[in-house]
Amino acid sequence: MTGQTVVPALSGTQEAILAAYTELIEELGSDDVSYRVIARRAGIAERTVFRNYPTRVDLLLATAAWIEATLFAREESHSIFDLPLAIREAMQRYDARPELAHVVAETAMRGVNGAAPSPGRAQLERLLDAEVPSLDAARRRAVIAALSHLDSVGTWVTFRREFGMDRRDIADAAAWAAEAVLDGIRDRVTPA
């Protein structure tokens, strides 16, 4: 996303659990990993995993947020017009770790309670306010919605699964689409 996903402060044990589960997802997939296996990998007791993440949904949400904040983290964009390049790079990162990208995307796409599908929205709003303050509310909302959608792991999954696109094609298509969205507002930029 365009902004950093905020992950609450984690204890060392929570960090170990999420790191262990993330490694196991890449090795085995998310459905084949028991709490016992996670505990063994993290070097803790199984009950400690349950104490920190009582349900599978709790563990999945925490893991998806942790993956986005650590493994898929990126620097904040300084201009709304830098987003196509940032989106291209994000798509390439997702492609390098597809199992993890699917976990993050499916958590958001399933509508799992607590999932945050657009953590970068506030940054997009700030950038538009600073650079294109003359946009009317409807156009502003449309630009933010389009860029938020393009700048997501869900877009990567859609391009990969539904269109069978490869790494380069996904990055190119997402960046091109973001450029197309921004082309409609370039002439309205307020000089700094």
Side-chain angles (χ1 to χ4, degrees):
M1 311 292 147
T2 51
Q4 295 293 327
T5 299
V6 178
V7 177
L10 299 173
S11 69
T13 299
Q14 290 169 323
E15 185 93 22
I17 292 167
L18 299 178
Y21 186 39
T22 299
E23 290 172 9
L24 290 162
I25 289 169
E26 286 192 296
E27 293 171 22
L28 307 172
S30 61
D31 294 334
D32 298 328
V33 180
S34 70
Y35 274 35
R36 181 178 307 127
V37 173
I38 295 167
R40 193 173 302 140
R41 177 67 62 98
I44 58 176
E46 185 176 357
R47 70 181 171 276
T48 303
V49 178
F50 279 106
R51 219 179 342 223
N52 283 277
Y53 303 103
T55 70
R56 199 83 159 142
V57 170
D58 294 331
L59 179 61
L60 189 61
L61 285 171
T63 302
W66 185 82
I67 290 167
E68 273 200 290
T70 58
L71 303 177
F72 293 151
R74 66 181 192 217
E75 291 182 30
E76 198 168 292
S77 296
H78 298 290
S79 168
I80 196 82
F81 299 101
D82 293 340
L83 284 177
L85 179 59
I87 290 170
R88 173 186 301 280
E89 291 168 353
M91 295 297 146
Q92 291 170 338
R93 276 194 303 280
Y94 301 146
D95 202 77
R97 301 186 90 170
E99 287 294 331
L100 301 182
H102 281 98
V103 166
V104 173
E106 289 175 13
T107 301
M109 288 190 294
R110 285 183 192 162
V112 175
N113 189 25
S118 185
R121 179 178 175 178
Q123 185 196 10
L124 288 173
E125 290 173 348
R126 281 191 310 277
L127 292 172
L128 275 176
D129 287 345
E131 296 178 75
V132 195
S134 64
L135 278 185
D136 62 80
R139 183 74 183 269
R140 183 176 188 273
R141 186 174 47 252
V143 168
I144 290 169
L147 291 174
S148 292
H149 178 71
L150 287 168
D151 193 12
S152 72
V153 70
T155 295
W156 177 85
V157 169
T158 299
F159 286 176
R160 169 69 75 191
R161 282 187 184 167
E162 293 184 24
F163 298 103
M165 297 170 83
D166 66 19
R167 177 184 182 133
R168 181 176 173 203
D169 290 342
I170 292 170
D172 288 348
W176 174 84
E179 287 286 355
V181 169
L182 293 171
D183 281 347
I185 64 170
R186 284 186 197 284
D187 62 338
R188 299 177 78 176
V189 173
T190 301

